[in-house]
Amino acid sequence: MNAHLKGLIAAPFTPMQEDGGINTAIIPAYYKFLKQNAVTGAFICGSTGEGVSMTVSEKKQVAESWAACTQNDPDFKVMTLLGGTCIADCIELALHAREIGLYAVSFTSPFYFKPANVAMLAQSCLAVAAAVPDMPFYYYHIPVLTGVGFPMFDLLQAMDGKAPNFAGIKYTHEDFMDFQTCLNYKNGKYDMLWGRDENMLSALAIGAKGAVGSTFNYAAPLYNDLIAAFENNDLARAGALQQKSIDMIRLLGKYGGISVGKSYMKLVGVDCGKFRLPVKNMSDEQFEMFQKDVTALNFDTFKSQSEAVNDLI
């Protein structure tokens, strides 16, 4: 049950139409695009995928589309973020994920009525995990968005032995002491997936093997090269590649944040539309300036690409 995932797992954007409705029609092509760029899985309906901005019905439609196009590819693992605020909705989505054949489910902390302590967070996790005992269950730690920042070592201890399907944690935080302690807990019992693309090299150095990231959607070759350089002990090259990643990610902050990822996707030929409110999208004028900055990064030398992308999308 507790297999450890390896390599790059993309956090896909949810494709949107001009009117703001979801556009599941391009998901099969999106999957092929990721696969052709050596991405090993997809973490759908997460932060990048705007899961919190979608209805339960929409999240089911997105999950069904990913399940349908990946069902014959056991090497490409798809897990869905269930949410965190309404436990009943999360259980409903977990049961649906099992029904359609997704690999795993993930759950983040309730962030309106927040758990008072780690014990209450663990109770919330256990309530959802128990609904799908035959599926790997991951906790998604992203305190910058949830406001819930308990040490994950404490959560591992609280969960250990209570849910056989508790597989590990998607760790999107900068506490390397906590992350390393989790990696080493009970001889590496739990799968710890790194979630900060800009710090991947540091995570590799302390033992991370798998990572979930938004920038893997459009710059997977950069990160696969980084991993290869690290594994070959070419730390100078690995460091230079990490700096390229940082320079690329800095443009997200410059042009408005998470929505800028969809602008990067346009530049690799996969138009995912815009982000929903309340996220701000860049203007046409900003997009022109953004393109110039991206060109200055030599983005074409490390971007995700496919010879067939124009046929796929």
Side-chain angles (χ1 to χ4, degrees):
M1 175 66 74
N2 293 347
H4 288 203
L5 303 180
K6 296 182 179 180
L8 306 181
I9 300 163
F13 300 90
T14 296
M16 299 288 183
Q17 309 206 27
E18 282 294 321
D19 63 1
I22 59 173
N23 179 17
T24 57
I26 74 167
I27 287 176
Y30 198 161
Y31 152 65
K32 291 178 184 178
F33 178 71
L34 294 176
K35 184 79 173 178
Q36 289 168 359
N37 284 279
V39 170
T40 64
F43 184 94
I44 63 173
C45 299
S47 308
T48 303
E50 299 179 78
V52 294
S53 299
M54 291 192 290
T55 66
V56 168
S57 174
E58 287 174 327
K59 284 189 273 194
K60 286 182 179 180
Q61 291 175 57
V62 170
E64 287 165 6
S65 295
W66 281 98
C69 64
T70 62
Q71 62 181 344
N72 296 319
D73 187 356
D75 294 328
F76 191 90
K77 305 290 196 258
V78 181
M79 72 173 78
T80 186
L81 180 64
L82 307 170
T85 300
C86 177
I87 303 295
D89 282 351
C90 292
I91 291 172
E92 179 181 341
L93 287 166
L95 292 170
H96 177 259
R98 180 175 65 179
E99 178 185 344
I100 62 176
L102 294 188
Y103 172 72
V105 295
S106 183
F107 171 81
T108 198
S109 174
F111 45 84
Y112 187 83
F113 293 133
K114 295 180 177 66
N117 49 47
V118 168
M120 294 308 300
L121 176 57
Q123 281 191 37
S124 301
C125 291
L126 291 169
V128 180
V132 285
D134 51 347
M135 288 184 80
F137 172 94
Y138 285 79
Y139 178 70
Y140 178 17
H141 182 50
I142 184 163
V144 69
L145 291 181
T146 62
V148 177
F150 305 123
M152 288 296 95
F153 177 58
D154 294 349
L155 182 65
L156 289 186
Q157 291 178 299
M159 293 287 291
D160 191 48
K162 296 184 176 67
N165 60 325
F166 176 51
I169 296 171
K170 176 185 183 294
Y171 198 101
T172 306
H173 191 38
E174 298 78 22
D175 189 339
F176 285 99
M177 182 180 76
D178 183 42
F179 181 71
Q180 182 169 345
T181 305
C182 292
L183 274 173
N184 294 325
Y185 182 66
K186 293 200 170 179
N187 296 312
K189 178 178 179 180
Y190 293 104
D191 191 14
M192 297 297 300
L193 301 172
W194 184 250
R196 282 279 186 233
D197 307 1
E198 63 272 30
N199 300 134
M200 175 183 275
L201 180 56
S202 301
L204 291 173
I206 57 175
K209 300 297 183 184
V212 181
S214 64
T215 65
F216 305 161
N217 285 288
Y218 47 83
L222 171 66
Y223 294 98
N224 279 319
D225 287 351
L226 192 161
I227 292 170
F230 173 78
E231 291 178 345
N232 290 327
N233 204 32
D234 188 349
L235 298 184
R237 176 165 171 75
L241 291 167
Q242 183 69 84
Q243 187 60 54
K244 278 184 180 286
S245 159
I246 291 169
D247 294 342
M248 177 180 67
I249 290 169
R250 282 187 183 279
L251 293 186
L252 272 69
K254 180 175 180 178
Y255 287 98
I258 194 169
S259 66
V260 178
K262 284 192 171 182
S263 296
Y264 270 116
M265 291 301 286
K266 285 184 180 179
L267 299 183
V268 297
V270 185
D271 191 346
C272 293
K274 296 182 177 180
F275 264 70
R276 288 179 170 178
L277 289 172
V279 176
K280 183 181 185 298
N281 294 280
M282 69 174 71
S283 66
D284 291 342
E285 293 76 19
Q286 287 176 314
F287 184 68
E288 288 183 13
M289 292 187 288
F290 167 73
Q291 285 182 290
K292 292 177 181 177
D293 280 348
V294 172
T295 299
L297 293 177
N298 294 317
F299 183 58
D300 285 348
T301 64
F302 58 82
K303 71 180 183 181
S304 295
Q305 51 195 317
S306 166
E307 293 179 359
V309 70
N310 291 328
D311 299 325
L312 290 174
I313 303 300

